[in-house]
Structure formats: C-alpha cells, structure tokens
Amino acid sequence: MTHRLKATVHGVVQGVGFRPFIYNLAREKGLFGYVANTSAGVDIEVEGEPKQIDLFFKEIKAAALPLARIRSIQKTPLNPLDYQDFAIKKSVSLSSEASLIPPDICVCEDCLREMQDPGDRRYGYPFINCTNCGPRYTIISDLPYDRRLTCMKGFMMCDDCLKEYNDPSDRRFHAQPNACPACGPKINLCDKEFKQVKTKNPVLKSRQLLKEGHILAIKGLGGFHLSVDAENNKAVIKLRSRKHRKEKPLALMSYDLTQIRQYAHVGQAEEALLTSPERPIVILKKKEPNSISPEISPRNKNFGVMLPYTPIHYLLLNADLKALVMTSGNPAGEPIVIGNDEAFERLGHVADYFLIHDRDIYVRSDDSIAQKISGRTRLIRRSRGYVPEPIVLKKKFPQILACGAESKNTVCLTKGKYAFVSQHTGNLRNLESYHFFQMTIQHLKKIFDIEPVTVAYDLHPDYLGTQYALEQTDVKRIGVQHHHAHIVSCMTEHGIAGPVIGLAFDGSGYGTDGRIWGGEALLAHAGRFTRPAHLEYVHMPGGAAAVKEPWRMAVSYLHHTFGDGLWDLDLPIFQNIEKGKIEIIQKMIKKGINCPETSSLGRLFDGIAAILGIRYQTNYEGQAAVELEMAINKAGKESYPYKWQKEKQSHLISLGTIVRGVVNDIRQGKGISSISHKFHLTLIRLFTDLCTQLGQENKVDRVVLSGGVFQNKTLLTGLEEALKKRNFCVFSHAGVPTNDGGISLGQAAISAEMMNDE
C-alpha cells in the first residue's frame, strides 16, 4: 500500500545542508516526492511504503547535521499522487510562521583541509565554504535562503562550482555562497589612499606588514577588524592612540590552542568554547610572564581570545605570528564598519593598510564575547555565531518589538514561540548607532515576516530607543521599567514564571520614582513587580560625569557617611585629587545642584575603587569595578558590618556602615587586596541574608540575578553558592547577556504578559 505524507519542518533548516540530506535520505528509503525551502521552513512530500516513511522521519529527527536545529515537524496525510522520483523543488515564499536562519559559522575542517592542499582547486582561497560552514546571517537580505537573496547574487558560479552545487552527493550541494578563485569574490590589499598594493598574494603581504608593525583594517565576516601584531608593543600603543582607546582590553586571535596556551590558561571548558562553531571571544586568565604586549589588557588578569573563524584569518595567522590584535573596526562609540568605501572614510586615520574584498556584508555583526563561570557558558555579548538563533519561549507571544536599552543595545522581535534577540547594536548615544538600530529592526521584521502590534521601550525619556518607540503609530506602546526588564529577561531565558526575588544590580536605570536605580531587590512577576528593598540613595555629583570620574562618587559616599568629617580622613583621594575640586563637589551635594540621587550598586563599586585609590577616572565602562575585582589575590573570611531598616514599604540598605568599615581598614594600613575581598564578601553575605528575610516574608524560594554588575565573577559565584546553601533555587544568565544586552528580551516578555492580562 502506498501512502503520501506532507510535512513542514520548522527550525534552523535552511542553509545547513538540510535539503540535500532529505533528498539522499528519501532516495535511500525508496520514497518519491519533493523537498523545498519556503519562508516558513522546509516543506517535504513523501510517497511510498508506510514502514519506509516512518523510518524516514525517525532518521530526520535523529539527524546529525552540524548546523541544523529542528524545532518541530508538522505532518498531514494526503491522497497518493503517484510521484515517479524525488526532487528538490524551487523555493517558495509564504507568509507563515518564521523560518529560522542559521548564524554565521566558522570554516569547517573539510574546507580548511582543501584550502591547505596544494593540489586542490581552492588552495589558498580566502572564501572557501560549504553547507556546513561559512557566512549566513550577515549575507542574507530576505527569505527563502537562495543565492539571489544574498550578497553572492552578483557572482555567477563557474561550471565546476555549478556541478558541485547540483550534485546531491557533494558537500556543496545547494550551498548558496559556493564559489572558487575562478568565479567568486576576490581579495585586495590597498594603502590608506585606496591605491592597490602590487603583490601576487595580498594575504601573504598583509602578514608581512603586520610583522613590520603596521596597522591593518581587515574585512571579515560581520565587519572590519583593526589588527596589529600583539607582541609588538609599539604597534599596540600606536593602535590605541589612533583609535582613542586608552585602556579597554583588546581582543586577540591566535592560529591554534598551542599558541594560546603560551600566554593564557586554557581549561577543558574554555577549550570547548574556543573551538565551538560559534568561535566567540573567550575570557581567559593570563599566564605570567608572557610575551604579549602589556598594553593589550592593562591592570587586568584576563585576556579576551578567539580562534580564527574565516579562511582569511587562517591564512593570515598560519605563520610565526603568535597572536594578532583583532579589535572591532570602528571609531570609538560607533558601529563596526562593513563597507569598503566606508572603511577608507571612517578608518583612514587609524589603519595603514586595508585588506578588503568584493563580497558585501549585508548585516554588521560584532564578535560575541563569552566566559565560563560555574561550568556554564555566560554570554557577555551575543552577536556573531549566535544571532539570529531565537530564544524559545514557553508560550506563544504576540508580535512585539522591544527597543532595548541605551548602552549595549539589542532589539527583540517576537513571533509565536520565538524571541529573536538581535546582534549587539552598540550605544545609541550617537547617530550612526541609531541608524544601525533602525536598520536592524527593519531587517529582522523583513526576514522573519513580523509586523509588531506592540512596541516596548525603556522608561528613560532621553533614550533614543524610547523616542523611536514613541514615534511609532498604529501600535500599542508599553513602557517597561529597566530593572524589571533585567529580571524578567533571566526568567524568560529559563522559562520560569513569578513570583521571584530579583536582584537587579547595574550602573543605572530609570526608576518609577524618577531617580536612578541599580541596587534593587524586586519581588517580580512577568507582568508586574514591587520593590521590597534597595540600597539607600546617595547623590551622583555631575550626573553622567560621575560615571567617568569615580572620585566624585567617592566624595559622595564619604560625605554621606562622615559629613564634613571627611576632611579628617587620611585617604589616598586627598593626595591625588585637588582640594578645590573636592570642595566644589561637596558644595554641589549640599545644595543639590546637578546631583541626581542613585541607589546603584555599580556606583558603589566605583566609589569604593576610588576611595581605595585604584581608579579616579575611567577610560571605559565599568573599568573601576573591574579593577576593584582584579585587586583580589587572596581569600579571607571577614566582612564589614551591614544593616537595613524598614521605611514605608521598603527595606533601605545602609551604605554608611560598609563605607566606614572600608575607611577604617585603609587607615589601619590593610592592603587593597584584602579590603576588596572583604567588600565583595560583605555584599554576598548582605544580599544572602536579605533574600532569606524577603523569602520568609513573601514565601518565595527562587532568586533571579541580573544586571551588568553580575559580570563580576566573584560576586556571581559567591552569591549563587551562598543562596543555594539557604535552599534557594537560583537563576542567572547564560545564553542572554546579564548586562543591558538582555534588556530587550525582558521588555518583550513583560509586554506580552501585560497584553495577556488585558
């Protein structure tokens, strides 16, 4: 008896070799019909013996395709049509549930082997790829995933490539970016005047220029990198000077693990992350001594390191270069550069030479950053290699656009059970990033066929994302409190509902009382929250100026604790900051001039770092807090006194007792390392005790940790361990950043719940 079955497969099933897999499997089972890409997924019709059809679908579910992610298979029985063969049909555009697009993936071992084989026709070819690797998201303009809708549309395949493309037994069967030296993209080396450098091998010449100390702008997968030899101290200093990037750590790339192990510690967990197809930048502990320039990651115990992920990278590094700096190719604060003309215009004052190619980048995508903490991968920046793979939701959401936060912005669009959190779009304080933000929204709406009925936004009135949301018409607009979004982002990632105790710790966020929050204990549900505890408010002298000059926060905390008695304290700040400047800040605080109030834990870290003399001015976000944690080099069991008191509906956490303890230790000559550890331990014990009380008062045994402060490994691991000992279920971020890069997901989930309640 002949049966016929139609199936629609949803998930990451386009651009991953899924159709050739289905084609070969159907022929193996003696089945007839067809397979086709649609904008909803992949459609399959099979006709044949029922037993063979059952085996066919069992093997689909067990498929070991490297990049495929099957989310669901919907089957419908139909009357037989007497198919005579099995074919791959032309792709079809449909308006239906979103098809999933694979992220950009590192070059595979098979392609690397061919590229390094002198007898292969793609020997040394910088754009080698197949169905198992290479560019995807960054070259796709629309669905279905066909060459005509990618940046490869201008490159016509030669006969040899076309033969591979049409051969179901070939690894490049229907590989849309398939190309070779005869028909594909070309690479060129130019000087800063856009003049081509005469050379037979642009990559080999680039390697030589790097070894000579030059700065190169290198066009990669999701944008340009700025690169120098990481062992060349003068070259690194020159790069920092030209890019105006004083001390923020620079990312490194090495050819293989053997080279990385010469300057950084690599455990099994880190090795697995470094060699994963996503190829993120991985935070690794430095080996001391090492030959890497001390200017790469000053006053920091870690390096950010990645392995090559494009053929160009492998060709550049396959020599005696231990490591290259590979930092984003962008002027400070602006989005990464993707176009050749744009690169010469925006990077011409930085780079000496440009290694470019003629394959366009449709969507910019920075390198992702990850760290292994407590055995789990924690994404600090979720971008290349991970986007646009969705967060799978517990229940269906309406079509929502969430505009995210101002710093480390991402946007999120939802459809059905999928939440599509975008790549990192950066800081929306400049016009170029805002344009990137707008383009990202339009691109995601287009490729996933989403037309939002609701737009969610941060309550801060000055955020450009907020202003964008308020300009939208014919949609429902929902403002979401920043720290509530942090907590619900983590809840959504783990698929849990409220109530939870949410510890939301960051540098700043607009509170419902108009003040700056950031040290909050919330009692949170998906659609609502209360604020049962928070750090007491202190003044933030100069507003945003206090973020860049932590000594201002030091004065604020000292004034808050000691009043005019601060002048009697023998502290490093009084030897390093002019007395007149401190007097002006104290007057501002007393008169309330340009001194917004804040409950931020991030600002407390800044203030303590400045009181200890670690950092008075910052050159990148979070620097003072990072260096305060880096100062720890020994453990201890002591902590400072702490307390809170009930005022109205909230427990106010006193800061004076902690600040007084730190000051007393400084005056007694105790070392910075022990004071920093003692401060961290104080926070761990304080919030463990606070959660215990709030848990008893509200009968809640789940705690959620979110916010940029939880990038602090000491605080995160210490608090998780302490809370678990008190029998709490503890949830923290892994697949979504704990910083503001995760805010958009929380905004979307809160909006969906509020719409459901209505």
Side-chain angles (χ1 to χ4, degrees), residues 252-518:
L252 300 177
M253 180 183 283
S254 289
Y255 183 78
D256 58 22
L257 291 168
T258 300
Q259 288 183 321
I260 294 175
R261 286 193 171 101
Q262 292 179 48
Y263 60 84
H265 296 277
V266 182
Q268 283 187 335
E270 286 80 13
E271 179 178 336
L273 188 53
L274 282 163
T275 57
S276 67
E278 293 82 7
R279 286 290 201 275
I281 297 169
V282 180
I283 307 302
L284 301 174
K285 189 176 180 180
K286 293 178 181 177
K287 276 187 176 177
E288 298 290 357
N290 64 72
S291 62
I292 301 298
S293 162
E295 296 297 321
I296 294 292
S297 183
R299 297 167 68 93
N300 196 310
K301 295 177 181 177
N302 301 322
F303 287 129
V305 188
M306 58 182 156
L307 286 170
Y309 55 87
T310 72
I312 293 174
H313 296 147
Y314 274 101
L315 292 168
L316 269 175
L317 280 157
N318 192 8
D320 56 347
L321 284 166
K322 184 178 292 183
L324 289 176
V325 169
M326 283 286 183
T327 188
S328 296
N330 61 311
E334 295 182 12
I336 190 170
V337 171
I338 58 173
N340 293 341
D341 292 340
E342 179 192 13
F344 285 97
E345 180 184 342
R346 292 173 61 199
L347 302 178
H349 65 290
V350 182
D352 300 314
Y353 294 91
F354 292 75
L355 187 62
I356 61 174
H357 56 75
D358 54 356
R359 185 180 72 197
D360 290 338
I361 299 170
Y362 192 80
V363 180
R364 43 173 59 89
S365 188
D366 287 90
D367 295 315
S368 296
I369 306 174
Q371 187 173 15
K372 281 288 185 179
I373 300 178
S374 301
R376 298 173 66 198
T377 299
R378 315 280 183 154
L379 286 177
I380 299 169
R381 183 165 75 196
R382 184 179 182 271
S383 204
R384 176 195 51 77
Y386 296 92
V387 176
E389 194 161 341
I391 308 300
V392 181
L393 305 167
K394 277 284 188 180
K395 57 184 179 181
K396 288 187 175 182
F397 279 15
Q399 295 189 17
I400 296 169
L401 163 64
C403 295
E406 178 97 320
S407 177
K408 297 180 176 63
N409 178 267
T410 63
V411 300
C412 178
L413 285 102
T414 62
K415 187 174 187 179
K417 284 194 171 184
Y418 295 143
F420 299 98
V421 179
S422 77
Q423 70 274 33
H424 169 81
T425 62
N427 191 322
L428 297 191
R429 295 190 190 110
N430 67 69
L431 191 59
E432 290 80 6
S433 293
Y434 182 62
H435 289 158
F436 178 27
F437 161 86
Q438 292 175 302
M439 192 221 78
T440 300
I441 291 171
Q442 294 307 315
H443 184 60
L444 288 173
K445 285 168 63 176
K446 182 179 180 181
I447 62 175
F448 293 121
D449 189 27
I450 296 174
E451 198 52 55
V453 296
T454 297
V455 177
Y457 58 92
D458 193 278
L459 293 179
H460 199 300
D462 296 333
Y463 282 6
L464 286 179
T466 297
Q467 293 171 24
Y468 172 90
L470 295 176
E471 289 168 1
Q472 305 309 302
T473 57
D474 301 322
V475 292
K476 184 177 181 64
R477 292 169 295 194
I478 297 177
V480 177
Q481 201 282 320
H482 187 93
H483 300 93
H484 187 207
H486 264 308
I487 298 304
V488 176
S489 171
C490 188
M491 292 166 63
T492 305
E493 180 182 346
H494 290 281
I496 60 171
V500 302
I501 298 167
L503 298 183
F505 299 159
D506 63 6
S508 67
Y510 195 82
T512 54
D513 59 1
R515 291 187 274 194
I516 301 170
W517 292 8

